[in-house]
Amino acid sequence: MFYSFRLFPRQHTKLCQLRILIRHSYSTNRSGGGPRKEKVKAIPFAQHIKAAEKTFEDYHGKGFFSARLSQSSPAEEVYIPFWVVSATVHATIEQAQVGRRVIRTRYNPATKQNESRWETDWAWIPQQHSFSRDYNPLGHPGLQIYASHRYRRGLVQQITTGPALENAVALTPDLLESTTTKVRKVDPFMLYPTTARRFATVYVQEREEMWADKFLRDFYGMDETRLLKVKVVFENVKVSPVYYPAFIFSVNYLGRRLRTFVNGYDLSVGGTKVYNWERVATVSALGMAATMTLTGGVGWGGASGSFWLGIVLPTVATSFLAMYYPIISLYVRDIIRDQEIKSMAQDSESWDNDWVREYSAFEDQERRRTWREEREYSNSYSSTSAGGDPKGYYRVLGVSPSASQQDIQSAFRGLAMKYHPDRFTGEKEKQEAKVKFQAISSAYSVLRDASKRKNYDRTGRD
């Protein structure tokens, strides 16, 4: 028990809430449910309920197709649990093919004509590429993971897009005191930290594959990639429990309850939107009528067929979709939530791993800054100590003086593919590529030969 002094009725209510929070969301040993109380942080409510109500009205009222909603009950003030994840990630592009799209003309025996079409020339990348990145939850809302099942994840996650996490403080009874007559509610932790770490791993893998695709297309000057394989290794992983403040607005719609979540610190908002089906129907009817007029109808049944099939049917379909979209989206999210709960069976039920720690925005940023400085110093030292590069041959190929012959050969192949003059059509681009290609070839002609390379490293001459 935290406190043993006399309490007024309102303080007693807060203490009861905090006791429930401790019982359901904290643990003081490894076998209990929920994170340890000394590791839990909370973001305080900083916005008035009136500001949240204005945000709710703007979220649902702005936009031509949006339907203006009225809340069916007063907004609840709730602390919602999240796991926030940070880590250093080392990614290696182990394999991939890059492709360049070209137009080729071929004779078609069926039509007896020459026909042009787009084709892609594919080639394997000649070398692996490695990167290191730090992932901070302040810069990646996808690493702020809703830690319960009471609400639908995709809707709650939208309140993490602002800077509120920077202001997390220790969770105390005072934070449960509401600006209204009610005491703030607390949603208990239900998602294991191991599950949150698994979600974060999926998020990082997807981000790294996306960045790898962009890097390869830019580096080799290609248009497409395929058969991409990226290996991701995590280091310095930290998973921290944090409570987010939320005003929760509820609306009854077609027999279902729709919720809108407004961040109580920075007014970030998320929830299921409702669309004005009458406006959707009007725009659909006008659009399809214009289309039928310009195209001459559907080609069946004359004017009557064009009216019923080309205008009425699409209008009715879009109207029903607009009306029932919120219900359909809730149904889909419920299926996803059920699958998520079932998937937790594969995760460890431990709540107090050594990588589950108290969150500190300053400490997290400082740790990342120190790691980057050490890495930059290490890279600078290794390239300086490896020897000189008076003519810049190693720099041209993008390798260090201590690179192996295989590294040099791989670097040359990749750069030769990227800067070969035949790949360019413009005269200026072709000339620039020619100069670059000659520099690459000159550097490779020296560094590929062991005796020439040894002489270059010792004397600085070819």
Side-chain angles (χ1 to χ4, degrees):
M1 184 181 296
F2 276 167
Y3 302 99
S4 58
F5 46 83
R6 288 188 61 189
L7 300 170
F8 293 103
R10 184 178 181 84
Q11 293 173 310
H12 178 71
T13 305
K14 286 196 299 178
L15 184 58
C16 290
Q17 278 285 87
L18 193 59
R19 284 173 177 166
I20 295 173
L21 170 65
I22 294 172
R23 184 165 63 249
H24 292 287
S25 300
Y26 291 163
S27 68
T28 56
N29 56 65
R30 293 184 180 272
S31 61
R36 296 175 67 93
K37 61 185 179 183
E38 63 268 18
K39 296 181 179 180
V40 178
K41 289 291 191 73
I43 302 168
F45 278 83
Q47 299 291 338
H48 193 273
I49 182 64
K50 295 297 183 182
E53 290 174 350
K54 179 65 167 57
T55 301
F56 169 82
E57 292 173 0
D58 291 343
Y59 183 71
H60 290 287
K62 289 187 176 180
F64 179 76
F65 292 109
S66 297
R68 184 171 293 277
L69 300 178
S70 298
Q71 59 191 88
S72 57
S73 59
E76 297 180 284
E77 297 182 26
V78 181
Y79 274 105
I80 300 179
F82 279 78
W83 292 109
V84 297
V85 183
S86 61
T88 299
V89 172
H90 306 286
T92 301
I93 304 176
E94 296 186 331
Q95 72 169 40
Q97 283 188 339
V98 290
R100 178 161 52 97
R101 299 184 66 196
V102 294
I103 295 180
R104 286 198 173 93
T105 302
R106 301 182 186 277
Y107 178 75
N108 188 340
T111 61
K112 297 182 180 180
Q113 292 181 348
N114 290 326
E115 298 179 355
S116 298
R117 63 179 181 178
W118 284 100
E119 295 183 355
T120 304
D121 292 336
W122 295 99
W124 290 100
I125 59 174
Q127 65 185 95
Q128 294 185 350
H129 301 274
S130 298
F131 311 91
S132 293
R133 265 183 279 268
D134 55 301
Y135 278 77
N136 189 313
L138 289 169
H140 293 273
L143 296 180
Q144 303 173 45
I145 300 167
Y146 176 49
S148 184
H149 300 302
R150 181 178 181 185
Y151 308 113
R152 295 166 182 88
R153 175 176 308 282
L155 305 178
V156 181
Q157 287 286 159
Q158 298 175 41
I159 70 170
T160 64
T161 55
L165 184 58
E166 293 180 334
N167 301 278
V169 298
L171 181 58
T172 62
D174 291 339
L175 295 181
L176 298 180
E177 183 176 356
S178 173
T179 56
T180 65
T181 57
K182 295 182 178 180
V183 176
R184 291 174 176 141
K185 298 179 181 179
V186 179
D187 189 11
F189 279 83
M190 300 177 66
L191 198 77
Y192 304 138
T194 48
T195 306
R197 183 167 178 168
R198 174 164 57 84
F199 287 176
T201 300
V202 172
Y203 171 82
V204 170
Q205 183 73 42
E206 291 175 350
R207 298 286 296 183
E208 289 298 327
E209 290 176 355
M210 180 188 69
W211 284 331
D213 174 79
K214 183 179 185 304
F215 167 79
L216 292 176
R217 286 187 283 110
D218 293 342
F219 184 81
Y220 292 105
M222 294 296 187
D223 303 311
E224 301 176 45
T225 66
R226 69 178 184 182
L227 303 179
L228 178 65
K229 182 180 179 182
V230 181
K231 180 181 179 181
V232 176
V233 177
F234 288 80
E235 184 182 24
N236 298 327
V237 178
K238 184 174 76 171
V239 180
S240 306
V242 178
Y243 272 105
Y244 283 58
F247 294 99
I248 302 180
F249 297 84
S250 297
V251 175
N252 292 322
Y253 180 80
L254 298 179
R256 295 293 298 269
R257 177 180 293 183
L258 305 183
R259 291 186 176 93
T260 301
F261 303 86
V262 179
N263 190 307
Y265 186 89
D266 58 23
L267 299 180
S268 300
V269 59
T272 304
K273 282 195 170 186
V274 177
Y275 298 96
N276 188 318
W277 68 270
E278 294 173 330
R279 291 184 179 180
V280 172
T282 301
V283 171
S284 174
L286 293 175
M288 293 308 299
T291 301
M292 293 298 103
T293 302
L294 294 174
T295 60
V298 296
W300 181 84
S304 178
S306 297
F307 174 75
W308 290 103
L309 297 180
I311 299 177
V312 175
L313 183 61
T315 299
V316 172
T318 54
S319 301
F320 271 89
L321 181 61
M323 179 184 296
Y324 288 99
Y325 166 76
I327 307 303
I328 296 172
S329 68
L330 291 184
Y331 177 75
V332 173
R333 293 182 188 279
D334 287 342
I335 294 175
I336 295 174
R337 178 167 58 182
D338 291 341
Q339 292 176 343
E340 176 186 299
I341 294 173
K342 293 178 181 178
S343 72
M344 288 181 60
Q346 64 182 289
D347 301 317
S348 170
E349 298 183 14
S350 174
W351 291 92
D352 194 27
N353 300 282
D354 56 1
W355 37 266
V356 177
R357 305 173 191 171
E358 177 186 17
Y359 180 75
S360 169
F362 176 78
E363 177 187 338
D364 207 39
Q365 293 169 343
E366 281 295 299
R367 184 160 63 97
R368 297 289 180 255
R369 182 184 63 79
T370 301
W371 174 83
R372 284 195 299 268
E373 290 178 351
E374 291 177 350
R375 182 167 170 267
E376 290 171 359
Y377 174 80
S378 176
N379 291 342
S380 173
Y381 176 79
S382 61
S383 51
T384 303
S385 61
D389 187 16
K391 293 190 176 182
Y393 288 161
Y394 292 104
R395 177 174 49 81
V396 168
L397 294 180
V399 297
S400 70
S402 60
S404 66
Q405 290 299 117
Q406 184 177 1
D407 291 337
I408 292 173
Q409 185 179 32
S410 296
F412 169 74
R413 289 177 177 174
L415 293 171
M417 180 188 301
K418 181 179 180 180
Y419 292 106
H420 197 285
D422 291 345
R423 292 195 59 252
F424 300 88
T425 56
E427 189 60 34
K428 183 179 179 181
E429 294 178 343
K430 184 182 287 290
Q431 187 60 33
E432 292 176 351
K434 183 178 179 181
V435 173
K436 184 70 174 178
F437 186 78
Q438 289 175 346
I440 295 168
S441 300
S442 297
Y444 183 60
S445 66
V446 174
L447 300 183
R448 66 181 295 186
D449 187 287
S451 60
K452 289 183 179 180
R453 180 183 179 184
K454 184 177 181 180
N455 181 64
Y456 173 73
D457 290 341
R458 186 176 66 255
T459 65
R461 296 191 296 270
D462 295 357

